[in-house]
């Protein structure tokens, strides 16, 4: 199993409160890894540590390493913009930029220097197709993204994230605000994309983790209790806390 992201001795504190306790794990390349566990156990904190969005939290303190392609994201010399370009991020609720559908997707390439109109047109079409949205919006590309349904907005956010050509897609409960049909579309697209990207998602749904994940991490009260291939994790959990969580006895 090829490792894409390596986490070594990661500790995160909000002020004096420690919310992640000495996390170490190898996250496989071009697979879907699901982070599961009860509310408040550190799932989103861990996810946002991977692209340093955790930096935006007041009073946060981080120790340990997060290695992407061997580069330590928390090295004092690490360049945050370069790091985040490697990561597409889907939040619980989609946040399209207050501009047109076209400009949402073109935003990243423009920031990184792409000015050629024909190339931008091709990029916008390509990534809207990647997000399974092109056929629904191709005749209204210059309409406001705010007019799209919530499910379409989430796929637009996916297209926008892909347009900066990341290596990793991070999803913080990316289907929790969606209706079942829209959620199914996002799930199918993540399964399609895992051959090209390393995907890490936080989910509260054990059913979703079973459907999507190749690899599972179980967090409980800031500890990484157990992790492993999804089939082995769900069928033969080793830790009593994992067994209780899967059975619905805790969480």
């Amino acid at each position: 199993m090829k490792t894409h992201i390596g986490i070594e001795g990661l500790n995160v504190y909000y002020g004096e409160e420690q919310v992640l306790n000495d996390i170490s794990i190898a996250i496989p390349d071009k697979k879907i890894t699901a982070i599961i566990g009860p509310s408040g156990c550190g799932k989103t904190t861990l996810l946002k540590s991977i692209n340093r969005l955790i930096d935006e939290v007041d009073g946060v303190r981080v120790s340990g390493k997060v290695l992407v392609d061997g580069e330590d994201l928390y090295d004092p010399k690490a360049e945050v913009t370069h790091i985040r370009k490697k990561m597409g991020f889907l939040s619980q609720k989609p946040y399209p930029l207050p501009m047109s559908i076209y400009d949402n997707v073109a935003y990243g390439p423009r920031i990184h220097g792409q000015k050629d109109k024909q190339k931008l047109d091709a990029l916008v079409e390509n990534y809207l197709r990647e997000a399974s949205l092109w056929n629904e919006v191709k005749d209204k590309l210059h309409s406001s993204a705010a007019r799209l349904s919530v499910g379409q907005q989430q796929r637009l956010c996916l297209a926008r994230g892909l347009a900066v050509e990341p290596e990793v897609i991070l999803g913080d409960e990316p289907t929790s605000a969606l209706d079942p049909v829209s959620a199914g579309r996002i799930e199918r697209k993540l399964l399609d994309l895992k051959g090209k990207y390393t995907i890490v998602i936080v989910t509260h749904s054990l059913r979703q983790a079973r459907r999507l994940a190749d690899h599972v991490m179980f967090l409980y009260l800031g500890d990484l209790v157990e992790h492993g291939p999804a089939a082995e994790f769900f069928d033969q959990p080793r830790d009593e806390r994992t067994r209780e969580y899967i059975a619905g006895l805790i969480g």
Side-chain angles (χ1 to χ4, degrees):
M1 181 182 70
K2 182 181 177 184
T3 298
H4 193 175
I5 301 169
I7 299 174
E8 300 178 1
L10 181 68
N11 297 280
V12 177
Y13 302 81
Y14 295 152
E16 297 302 313
E17 180 187 3
Q18 186 168 1
V19 292
L20 289 180
N21 307 315
D22 197 27
I23 306 294
S24 295
I25 189 172
I27 296 176
D29 186 33
K30 294 183 175 60
K31 302 287 185 184
I32 297 177
T33 297
I35 305 173
I36 66 172
S39 296
C41 67
K43 301 187 299 296
T44 295
T45 295
L46 177 58
L47 190 76
K48 290 185 175 181
S49 297
I50 296 174
N51 68 350
R52 288 191 53 173
L53 277 178
I54 198 72
D55 293 5
E56 299 176 3
V57 178
D58 289 340
V60 72
R61 182 162 50 91
V62 179
S63 66
K65 295 182 178 181
V66 176
L67 302 164
V68 178
D69 299 325
E71 177 185 11
D72 181 9
L73 308 192
Y74 287 91
D75 188 296
K77 298 177 182 177
E79 206 282 305
V80 176
T81 302
H82 162 69
I83 289 165
R84 289 183 180 157
K85 187 178 183 297
K86 292 185 176 186
M87 315 270 182
F89 189 84
L90 288 175
S91 58
Q92 294 181 34
K93 181 181 177 182
Y95 291 100
L97 300 172
M99 54 185 68
S100 71
I101 295 166
Y102 181 100
D103 288 336
N104 263 268
V105 183
Y107 183 82
R110 281 173 173 153
I111 282 180
H112 294 290
Q114 183 55 260
K115 305 298 182 186
D116 186 278
K117 178 68 164 59
Q118 286 187 322
K119 290 182 179 178
L120 282 172
D121 288 349
L123 284 169
V124 168
E125 178 175 349
N126 177 61
Y127 289 112
L128 286 172
R129 287 187 183 278
E130 279 275 84
S132 299
L133 190 57
W134 173 254
N135 288 337
E136 297 167 47
V137 302
K138 62 184 179 182
D139 297 323
K140 52 183 179 182
L141 292 176
H142 298 289
S143 298
S144 170
R147 296 181 181 178
L148 296 173
S149 70
V150 174
Q152 288 174 322
Q153 287 181 10
Q154 189 67 302
R155 283 182 284 147
L156 178 62
C157 291
L158 176 59
R160 188 179 75 212
L162 295 177
V164 297
E165 299 182 344
E167 299 175 6
V168 177
I169 298 171
L170 305 176
D172 186 9
E173 296 190 69
T175 65
S176 64
L178 306 183
D179 63 86
V181 173
S182 297
R185 285 175 175 161
I186 290 290
E187 287 191 3
R188 288 191 294 275
K189 182 46 58 178
L190 292 175
L191 289 169
D192 289 343
L193 292 173
K194 74 176 182 179
K196 297 181 181 179
Y197 305 92
T198 297
I199 300 174
V200 185
I201 63 167
V202 166
T203 180
H204 270 106
S205 170
L206 288 174
R207 290 182 178 181
Q208 183 174 69
R210 286 179 183 271
R211 286 193 299 269
L212 296 183
D214 301 292
H215 196 86
V216 180
M217 303 168 57
F218 172 51
L219 291 184
Y220 188 71
L221 300 178
D223 294 325
L224 177 57
V225 173
E226 189 168 344
H227 64 90
E232 178 182 315
F233 178 91
F234 285 114
D235 294 341
Q236 298 176 310
R238 299 183 300 274
D239 191 280
E240 181 63 25
R241 289 166 293 178
T242 310
R243 290 192 287 271
E244 290 181 352
Y245 182 70
I246 292 171
L249 300 176
I250 60 173

